[in-house]
Amino acid sequence: MTQQRKKCGKGGFTLVELVVTLVILSILFAIAVPSLLGYIHLSQFRKNESYAKTMYLSAESELTYLRTGGEWESFCSKVKKEGVLNQSFDESDEDRKKLVGRIYGIRLDAGEYAEGELSGDGALVGALLSQDTYDKSVLNAAICIEIDVESGQVYSVFYGTNCKGLYYGSNEDSKPADMSGSWLDIDYSKRDRDTRREERLGYYSVQDAVNAVSLDATKLKITSINLVNGETLSLNWSSNVKDQDLDKVYYEVKLYSSEDKAQLLSINIPGRNLKTGSQSVAVTTEDNATKDYTFPVEYDRTNKRATLVLDGMMNAKLYDRLDKLSADNEAAFRQSSDTSITRFGGKLENPLNVYAAVQVFPDPNAENTGGEEYQKSDAIESNKANTLFGDGTRSDNGRCEIETFRHLSNIRYMNTAAVFAVTARSLDWTSDSVKVYGTAARGALSVSAGKDIGFPSIPALRSNQKLDGTGGLLNRIAGVFTGGNVISNLKLDETSIADDAEYLGLFRKNAGTIYNLRLLNPQVEIASGKLKGVGAVCGYSNGSLKGDNVDGTQARVEAALTSAQAQGAVTQWLNFLDEVEHRYKGLRVTNFSIADYDYVANNTQAVSTNLITGTLEIYMCVSDKEADA
């Protein structure tokens, strides 16, 4: 019996043991609980700081929309009527003195948003925050948005979850009728970090001098980049910058020579300029001169992709105006209206292989930020491309590749010996990719499609230049199977030339050599009292045309000239058709009103004529002959 009792006693605790255990647990709780509560307290403070920053950005984004949309004045009057003036700025401090009478607070009390329809200044807070706030429950807190009524910008935001509401102790009008419970004074002297941390009151300000938020800045990134050598020479890039933050960053685009890595251009583009349309931005050129230049810009908000047009084809009227500018007016007009990359001078006056680098920076001069939300990105480089012609263009101009109509038009910039090779299998002027820039009202850039405007006739192919329509030997071999290279639906009309032009054609004059060029279904239509020569390939040639082909069931050349000039025009056309080595298949030239029928009657060996009431219809059937027409 005694042994059994001893065994049972071994399974319990003595009173002393229990007391010691409880004492130890009490000590542990005394140590752990304050630390745990402190951690929770700090976590709430940091969370409220983060919410204050988010709401600051959201409110500023909405105010920007109001300013740009012309609604700021109306909203400002409501802020002054419903809000409360911050009277707590120390006038002995010069910086704060400037804010006296400018900062108005509009407030939401805790739970007010959840109660239903807002009124007074609470409705104004809701208008600024509700659009961009996904989780509306975060609005069930004490919120104050301070607005600078002179600049139209957010000055600061308070966000509190441990109080009923916020007020200015220095302004009696802001105090609630019932001060029972937790109401926090937000006078300027109450905004230091320690005071706000004790109350778990979040705060974010434009000055941010006493803001205790310690969030890591977002690393900016250029997520893609591509230099596109097409109907425009365009630099495309995208980044991780949010649309609402575009006005807080700027992009730096640098263009380099692929040959020696020399910097050719540095282009500074504020994020706010990334929108579709013509935009003026600062450019530093090769000679270190910095001026404002206008560029066509596109911005796809869905994909966050920007497009900067570095080189674009212009219409004939704009080319002509640029050519005729006086020295006094040339620079300014080229900066605002020229879309050619040659306008920057230096190495860019000639075809050059280049590449670009893009970097995005937080803008230290942006309104309401000191660039503190972002860290600059790394510079990302693009692929290489030629500025004026195809990417296979040789540096000695022994072969300048023509792959687009822009490349073809850029022949006008070449003053030296060169060989141009049409390497594209097919160029179609009516394609949607064709872009022609001009000037609209007030000098703004405009853009037209090829189907809406005539190709800008190239002034001349020079005597030391050649145009190879096949693109070279390999292309000719491939053409045996593919049918060869072709330029389709070329449109030439009154928009293709200036008013004082004398000739119309793909080239107005040809002094060089054009060979194996095929034009399919060209459309040439002009009525003029000044033109002396009209043609699909050229208006006048004293060079060489070899093996060129103009055909197609829709091919048409129609020129209506005055009778005073018709005789000379018809004489030139007959000589041209009879002598040059140029194949026309069913091409029809109509509506030449002429005064001298005898010449036509005596020169019918190369043409069939049908004179109907003063109209000459020429059906071109020309044999191959070498000539110097």
Side-chain angles (χ1 to χ4, degrees):
M1 181 69 70
T2 305
Q3 290 178 352
Q4 186 176 0
R5 288 174 181 167
K6 288 182 177 179
K7 289 180 181 179
C8 293
K10 291 181 179 179
F13 295 95
T14 67
L15 181 60
V16 173
E17 289 173 335
L18 290 174
V19 170
V20 171
T21 300
L22 291 175
V23 170
I24 293 173
L25 289 175
S26 299
I27 294 172
L28 291 176
F29 275 114
I31 296 173
V33 170
S35 297
L36 180 61
L37 292 176
Y39 176 80
I40 295 173
H41 193 112
L42 180 60
S43 177
Q44 290 177 339
F45 172 61
R46 288 179 173 174
K47 185 176 181 179
N48 289 348
E49 290 275 78
S50 178
Y51 278 138
K53 180 177 182 179
T54 300
M55 292 183 178
Y56 177 94
L57 298 175
S58 178
E60 178 56 28
S61 175
E62 189 64 19
L63 276 186
T64 300
Y65 175 80
L66 295 177
R67 292 196 301 269
T68 57
E71 300 178 44
W72 161 244
E73 295 297 332
S74 175
F75 189 84
C76 179
S77 64
K78 294 177 182 178
V79 170
K80 291 180 178 179
K81 178 181 178 181
E82 304 291 349
V84 181
L85 179 65
N86 184 343
Q87 300 176 346
S88 64
F89 291 103
D90 183 2
E91 295 191 23
S92 63
D93 184 297
E94 289 300 318
D95 290 333
R96 297 174 190 172
K97 186 176 181 180
K98 297 176 183 178
L99 299 173
V100 172
R102 293 172 49 173
I103 308 302
Y104 280 76
I106 52 177
R107 299 164 298 163
L108 265 180
D109 293 339
E112 185 178 352
Y113 188 86
E115 291 176 0
E117 187 173 349
L118 300 175
S119 61
D121 58 346
L124 301 181
V125 174
L128 292 180
L129 299 181
S130 59
Q131 291 294 325
D132 292 332
T133 303
Y134 177 75
D135 183 4
K136 299 297 192 296
S137 65
V138 300
L139 299 179
N140 293 318
I143 301 170
C144 177
I145 302 176
E146 290 187 315
I147 297 176
D148 186 339
V149 295
E150 285 193 19
S151 66
Q153 298 154 3
V154 177
Y155 178 75
S156 75
V157 171
F158 290 88
Y159 184 89
T161 55
N162 196 43
C163 60
K164 284 187 176 182
L166 308 170
Y167 72 100
Y168 294 116
S170 58
N171 189 330
E172 291 294 326
D173 293 337
S174 72
K175 293 182 179 180
D178 181 8
M179 289 289 291
S180 62
S182 178
W183 293 84
L184 298 184
D185 184 354
I186 54 173
D187 272 352
Y188 201 93
S189 61
K190 309 292 177 60
R191 303 184 184 195
D192 62 281
R193 183 178 186 277
D194 291 338
T195 299
R196 292 186 298 98
R197 177 175 175 175
E198 183 66 24
E199 300 293 347
R200 285 166 279 184
L201 180 63
Y203 177 72
Y204 193 86
S205 168
V206 64
Q207 293 179 332
D208 207 24
V210 294
N211 186 12
V213 179
S214 57
L215 303 177
D216 292 334
T218 301
K219 174 72 172 179
L220 291 169
K221 294 180 181 178
I222 300 298
T223 54
S224 68
I225 185 170
N226 188 27
L227 192 56
V228 181
N229 189 353
E231 287 297 351
T232 62
L233 178 64
S234 299
L235 180 64
N236 299 333
W237 74 89
S238 56
S239 72
N240 65 339
V241 179
K242 299 177 182 178
D243 285 343
Q244 64 266 29
D245 290 346
L246 280 175
D247 59 347
K248 300 169 186 175
V249 301
Y250 69 91
Y251 295 84
E252 187 175 72
V253 177
K254 293 184 178 180
L255 200 66
Y256 297 91
S257 167
S258 298
E259 298 174 0
D260 57 9
K261 313 299 182 184
Q263 182 176 309
L264 307 170
L265 295 176
S266 178
I267 307 171
N268 189 302
I269 307 174
R272 61 180 176 274
N273 285 61
L274 284 188
K275 50 189 174 182
T276 299
S278 54
Q279 305 296 330
S280 180
V281 296
V283 179
T284 302
T285 50
E286 197 176 344
D287 59 359
N288 290 322
T290 300
K291 299 176 182 177
D292 288 339
Y293 286 83
T294 298
F295 293 85
V297 174
E298 296 178 8
Y299 186 65
D300 183 342
R301 299 178 70 90
T302 301
N303 299 314
K304 297 181 175 60
R305 186 179 67 182
T307 299
L308 178 70
V309 176
L310 297 169
D311 187 68
M313 178 169 45
M314 293 174 280
N315 64 35
K317 301 295 189 291
L318 184 50
Y319 277 125
D320 182 65
R321 182 173 178 184
L322 290 166
D323 289 340
K324 294 176 179 177
L325 284 174
S326 65
D328 293 338
N329 299 324
E330 181 177 8
F333 189 75
R334 284 194 184 280
Q335 288 170 222
S336 65
S337 303
D338 195 340
T339 58
S340 170
I341 200 168
T342 61
R343 61 176 166 163
F344 300 110
K347 295 179 181 179
L348 292 173
E349 289 185 338
N350 299 302
L352 184 68
N353 291 324
V354 299
Y355 66 93
V358 178
Q359 194 170 8
V360 56
F361 297 84
D363 189 348
N365 298 316
E367 296 175 348
N368 300 318
T369 78
E372 72 283 0
E373 295 171 47
Y374 290 115
Q375 293 177 356
K376 69 178 181 180
S377 74
D378 298 325
I380 305 298
E381 294 183 358
S382 74
N383 55 300
K384 299 176 183 177
N386 193 271
T387 55
L388 297 180
F389 301 107
D391 293 339
T393 295
R394 284 167 37 180
S395 58
D396 63 357
N397 301 331
R399 178 185 170 90
C400 299
E401 294 194 349
I402 306 297
E403 297 179 351
T404 67
F405 282 102
R406 175 177 67 90
H407 299 155
L408 190 62
S409 176
N410 282 342
I411 290 175
R412 71 186 68 241
Y413 297 116
M414 299 296 291
N415 297 317
T416 58
V419 176
F420 306 102
V422 180
T423 54
R425 185 66 59 211
S426 178
L427 291 179
D428 186 352
W429 182 250
T430 61
S431 168
D432 291 337
S433 63
V434 174
K435 290 186 178 181
V436 184
Y437 292 96
T439 53
R442 301 181 181 178
L445 288 176
S446 63
V447 62
S448 302
K451 55 190 174 184
D452 301 323
I453 195 171
F455 176 81
S457 183
I458 304 167
L461 186 70
R462 294 171 173 80
S463 60
N464 57 353
Q465 297 175 342
K466 297 179 180 180
L467 177 62
D468 179 1
T470 65
L473 178 60
L474 293 178
N475 282 54
R476 285 196 293 273
I477 296 174
V480 174
F481 305 98
T482 63
N485 298 346
V486 62
I487 297 177
S488 303
N489 302 313
L490 180 69
K491 182 179 180 180
L492 296 168
D493 56 20
E494 67 276 359
T495 65
S496 299
I497 51 175
D499 294 336
D500 57 356
E502 294 183 336
Y503 301 98
L504 172 63
L506 177 63
F507 295 92
R508 279 179 261 169
K509 290 184 177 182
N510 170 45
T513 300
I514 303 175
Y515 56 99
N516 299 327
L517 179 67
R518 184 188 176 197
L519 300 183
L520 178 64
N521 292 324
Q523 304 291 307
V524 185
E525 186 174 0
I526 190 73
S528 172
K530 297 180 180 180
L531 289 177
K532 297 180 180 179
V534 177
V537 177
C538 56
Y540 177 82
S541 177
N542 62 351
S544 178
L545 298 165
K546 299 179 180 180
D548 303 311
N549 202 351
V550 180
D551 60 7
T553 58
Q554 302 299 318
R556 185 178 81 253
V557 176
E558 294 184 2
L561 309 179
T562 62
S563 59
Q565 296 167 322
Q567 181 175 349
V570 171
T571 300
Q572 180 183 325
W573 268 102
L574 291 175
N575 287 335
F576 178 77
L577 295 175
D578 184 38
E579 298 178 15
V580 302
E581 182 180 348
H582 198 149
R583 296 181 183 274
Y584 288 87
K585 298 179 180 178
L587 186 60
R588 179 174 172 179
V589 181
T590 63
N591 297 336
F592 272 102
S593 299
I594 62 173
D596 187 351
Y597 298 119
D598 293 335
Y599 181 85
V600 176
N602 293 329
N603 291 272
T604 59
Q605 66 274 18
V607 296
S608 298
T609 61
N610 181 17
L611 303 183
I612 303 175
T613 60
T615 299
L616 172 67
E617 294 185 354
I618 304 178
Y619 297 88
M620 301 181 186
C621 304
V622 186
S623 59
D624 294 346
K625 295 181 180 179
E626 185 70 52
D628 187 19

